Amino acid sequence: MPKANETLLEIDLNALDNNYQYITSKIKPGTKFMAVVKAYGYGSDSVIIAKELIDLGVDYFAVAYPSEGEALRGASIEAPILVLHPLPINFELIVNRCLEPSIYSLRMLEEFIAFTEATGNQENRLENYPIHLKFNTGLNRLGFAENDISKISEMLAKTKSVKVKSAFSHLAASEDINEKKFTLKQIETFQRLSEELILKLGYKPLLHCTNTSGIINYPEAHFDMVRSGIGLYGFGNDKEENKHLKPVGTLKTELSQIHTVKTGESVGYNRGFIAKKLTRSATLPIGYADGIPRSFGKSTGWVTINGEKAFILGDICMDMMMVDVTGINCEEGDEAIVFGSSVTAEELAAAINSISYELITGISQRVKRVVCRK
Ligand SMILES: *Cc1c(COP(=O)(O)O)cnc(C)c1O
């Protein structure tokens, strides 16, 4: 990869291939793979990621909101797409773009059935439209309760317009071994309610409940399909697992100007940094509007320049930030790496009590994306 001469997010498709191969090595042959590409493919580019994953052989995609599924359809991606968090106002878009809704409450089920029954004309009724039933087993975020099953099956028995393609749940603490008891209880609840559901429906939908950490930590809970997001992008929520995974995104930029700041002089807005000694400051064309949280300011965060740590001076601006390059062998035009494979997004995020997920999904659409294979 040539040196960056503007702010770039490099998307390494070979890293994605590596991560996909590693995660699939953890699942039994025949288990389906749902790739989670919500939030612009965790801040990268959902279309680029999805196209590569189709070549690699994924079965399903998941997005959070219907507009994200629409973007994939607009790029001619025909694989099935589960929409994790639709709202009734989205039903038309969902059906028009052949997206598959997660149905998580009796209100949603009732409204979606009514919508599908009213769609199409007499000769051309919607039939067996795929839906996915989401059950709450302890996260208390979205999902039916176990005792909704009788009502669900009654409602489904009265219509031909929808069919349950899958039933699923989401683990609350799959990465936390201290919560193993809680997680095993969630899995047991899911297993029990699935059996009841299958009995009442009279057919067996696909069952799934593990995200990346669940895939790694709870092989007994893979059921028919697994859902992986963060692992595909290179993070395993665990030091051991991270050794096998490679970050897909590298965020880099270049030094646009270097200043010599005398003792007593300041750098940036509100004089956020005051030099106690002669300081060399480099300005970078990246700021909080690009997704660098302002909380990294005042030496909390850093970038890497020619292999050395350059801490952020003062407050991060909207479009720029200044870093301390005193004693670092560098000049204007050199490259600065925010995160990538040596300093990972996870390591940097930890400096502000955040997680890789938040940092990588926050990289704004203003940052140019480039694809590479390292
Ligand atoms: C985002 C999400 C996932 C993916 O989780 P990772 O930890 O990124 O693998 C899986 N399932 C649901 C319901 C999600 O919302």
Side-chain angles (χ1 to χ4, degrees):
M1 202 65 201
K3 180 188 88 59
N5 38 29
E6 61 183 322
T7 300
L8 296 175
L9 181 69
E10 283 174 11
I11 301 170
D12 177 5
L13 293 181
N14 282 352
L16 180 66
D17 297 10
N18 169 81
N19 302 339
Y20 175 77
Q21 301 305 349
Y22 179 69
I23 300 162
T24 48
S25 78
K26 299 275 165 187
I27 63 181
K28 281 199 227 66
T31 309
K32 289 185 190 295
F33 195 107
M34 175 182 273
V36 183
V37 295
K38 61 193 179 189
Y40 300 99
Y42 285 43
S44 60
D45 182 302
S46 65
V47 169
I48 290 169
I49 296 288
K51 287 193 165 162
E52 181 73 8
L53 288 168
I54 288 172
D55 291 345
L56 290 170
V58 300
D59 303 282
Y60 243 101
F61 290 109
V63 294
Y65 295 104
S67 59
E68 298 175 321
E70 189 183 18
L72 297 179
R73 290 286 183 250
S76 307
I77 288 164
E78 290 170 4
I81 302 172
L82 165 62
V83 179
L84 292 164
H85 198 170
L87 296 163
I89 195 167
N90 306 130
F91 289 164
E92 196 167 330
L93 174 59
I94 284 181
V95 171
N96 283 343
R97 304 316 301 254
C98 292
L99 304 172
E100 303 180 7
S102 157
I103 301 291
Y104 47 82
S105 68
L106 292 171
R107 172 181 84 111
M108 282 284 283
L109 182 60
E110 189 177 348
E111 293 192 28
F112 193 69
I113 291 173
F115 179 84
T116 48
E117 286 183 341
T119 303
N121 50 35
Q122 212 74 61
E123 299 87 60
N124 194 10
R125 284 266 170 253
L126 274 186
E127 251 183 55
N128 293 334
Y129 196 89
I131 62 171
H132 301 257
L133 302 179
K134 169 109 184 239
F135 287 90
N136 174 25
T137 54
L139 181 59
N140 288 320
R141 190 171 71 174
L142 283 181
F144 290 105
E146 192 173 359
N147 61 18
D148 287 331
I149 291 178
S150 304
K151 192 89 213 304
I152 294 169
S153 52
E154 266 171 44
M155 287 161 80
L156 290 172
K158 285 191 221 135
T159 183
K160 284 198 168 64
S161 70
V162 302
K163 181 151 188 196
V164 183
K165 183 107 162 252
S166 88
F168 71 111
S169 189
H170 195 35
L171 302 175
S174 58
E175 73 275 30
D176 187 353
I177 286 310
N178 296 323
E179 292 293 356
K180 189 162 184 173
K181 224 176 118 195
F182 177 87
T183 304
L184 290 174
K185 183 104 190 303
Q186 270 198 287
I187 295 166
E188 188 193 302
T189 304
F190 179 62
Q191 171 92 50
R192 184 181 62 233
L193 69 81
S194 301
E195 281 162 18
E196 188 188 342
L197 181 75
I198 291 164
L199 211 65
K200 293 239 163 78
L201 287 178
Y203 58 90
K204 185 181 173 301
L206 293 170
L207 305 178
H208 49 113
C209 78
T210 49
N211 65 335
T212 301
S213 320
I215 297 168
I216 290 164
N217 294 334
Y218 297 93
E220 69 274 30
H222 291 175
F223 295 96
D224 304 309
M225 181 155 74
V226 295
R227 305 188 300 269
S228 179
I230 199 75
L232 289 173
Y233 304 97
F235 301 95
N237 296 326
D238 177 287
K239 274 207 176 66
E240 274 311 300
E241 298 304 329
N242 282 346
K243 284 188 194 152
H244 303 280
L245 298 166
K246 295 186 179 153
V248 166
T250 297
L251 181 62
K252 40 168 75 168
T253 187
E254 80 152 21
L255 277 56
S256 35
Q257 194 177 14
I258 293 180
H259 290 279
T260 301
V261 185
K262 295 198 191 98
T263 305
E265 287 184 347
S266 58
V267 174
Y269 286 130
N270 301 313
R271 311 193 67 202
F273 170 77
I274 306 224
K276 293 201 178 73
K277 59 176 173 54
L278 192 68
T279 301
R280 223 172 145 230
S281 157
T283 304
L284 307 178
I286 185 169
Y288 59 75
D290 301 289
I292 308 296
R294 210 167 156 275
S295 47
F296 276 127
K298 301 211 161 80
S299 293
T300 308
W302 70 93
V303 301
T304 305
I305 298 171
N306 297 328
E308 296 200 57
K309 269 186 174 184
F311 283 91
I312 297 169
L313 291 173
D315 290 326
I316 294 172
C317 313
M318 187 187 292
D319 315 306
M320 286 171 251
M321 63 189 193
M322 281 67 86
V323 296
D324 189 351
V325 294
T326 313
I328 297 178
N329 183 10
C330 63
E331 55 186 87
E332 291 176 359
D334 279 359
E335 188 171 82
I337 297 171
V338 182
F339 61 70
S341 48
S342 49
V343 175
T344 65
E346 184 165 87
E347 191 182 338
L348 194 61
I352 53 168
N353 290 321
S354 182
I355 52 176
S356 59
Y357 295 79
E358 187 181 15
L359 191 58
I360 64 176
T361 59
I363 301 311
S364 81
Q365 291 300 299
R366 184 166 78 178
V367 175
K368 186 168 161 186
R369 271 69 175 161
V370 288
V371 175
C372 64
R373 290 186 186 272
K374 286 183 193 161

